[in-house]
């Protein structure tokens, strides 16, 4: 009797679903501190997901609209970030990255399940 051989599943890398620019201005939602040149944590290499400096965090399951905890920790140790004075038990700033559906100059691909920010026309 011959053994049954099943074909191996083909794992495809998911296509980016959103675009984000790490040099866009960002504001903490807790303490309202603003960084006009982008989140300083992106100047560090991420120990959590391995993202290089200047690139967003790259978790394979998506949800990349926030910085990994390790990257924030390293940025605070390097003096690039101060602890958040808002209602935060761990001192982390709540600084989500703005996502868009279309690519712009300097934007990086982000795999995300979050909806992009909608602009309301006046």
């Amino acid at each position: 009797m011959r053994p049954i051989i099943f074909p191996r599943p083909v794992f495809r890398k998911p296509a980016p679903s959103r675009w984000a620019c790490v040099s866009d201005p960002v504001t903490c939602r807790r303490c309202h501190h603003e960084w006009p040149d982008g989140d300083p944590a992106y100047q560090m290499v991420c120990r959590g997901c391995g993202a290089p400096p200047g690139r967003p965090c790259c978790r394979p399951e998506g949800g990349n609209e926030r910085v990994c905890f390790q990257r924030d920790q390293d940025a605070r140790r390097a003096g690039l970030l101060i602890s958040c004075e808002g209602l935060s038990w761990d001192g982390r700033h709540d600084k989500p990255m703005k996502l868009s559906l279309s690519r712009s100059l300097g934007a990086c691909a982000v795999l995300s399940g979050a909806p992009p920010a909608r602009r309301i026309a006046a």
Side-chain angles (χ1 to χ4, degrees):
M1 190 167 162
R2 292 173 43 195
I4 298 173
I5 300 174
F6 293 103
R8 291 186 179 181
V10 177
F11 295 105
R12 294 185 184 146
K13 187 175 180 181
S17 57
R18 304 286 188 267
W19 298 92
C21 185
V22 295
S23 61
D24 281 348
V26 66
T27 303
C28 175
R29 289 197 267 184
R30 293 182 181 135
C31 68
H32 305 289
H33 188 86
E34 187 174 324
W35 296 273
D37 297 328
D39 188 350
Y42 288 119
Q43 296 175 17
M44 311 293 295
V45 173
C46 185
R47 289 184 295 123
C49 65
R55 304 280 303 179
C57 289
C58 53
R59 292 180 289 284
E61 66 277 357
N64 301 22
E65 59 274 0
R66 296 189 187 275
V67 176
C68 286
F69 178 78
Q70 293 91 339
R71 203 177 218 178
D72 264 349
Q73 235 179 9
D74 292 345
R76 279 195 298 192
R77 286 185 189 137
L80 299 174
L81 281 176
I82 58 171
S83 292
C84 182
E85 296 175 359
L87 297 173
S88 171
W89 65 271
D90 59 356
R92 271 185 90 190
H93 290 279
D94 185 14
K95 45 190 186 341
M97 183 185 302
K98 292 179 183 165
L99 303 174
S100 69
L101 288 171
S102 58
R103 186 175 189 171
S104 61
L105 186 64
C108 301
V110 173
L111 177 65
S112 175
R118 296 179 187 253
R119 294 187 180 171
I120 299 173

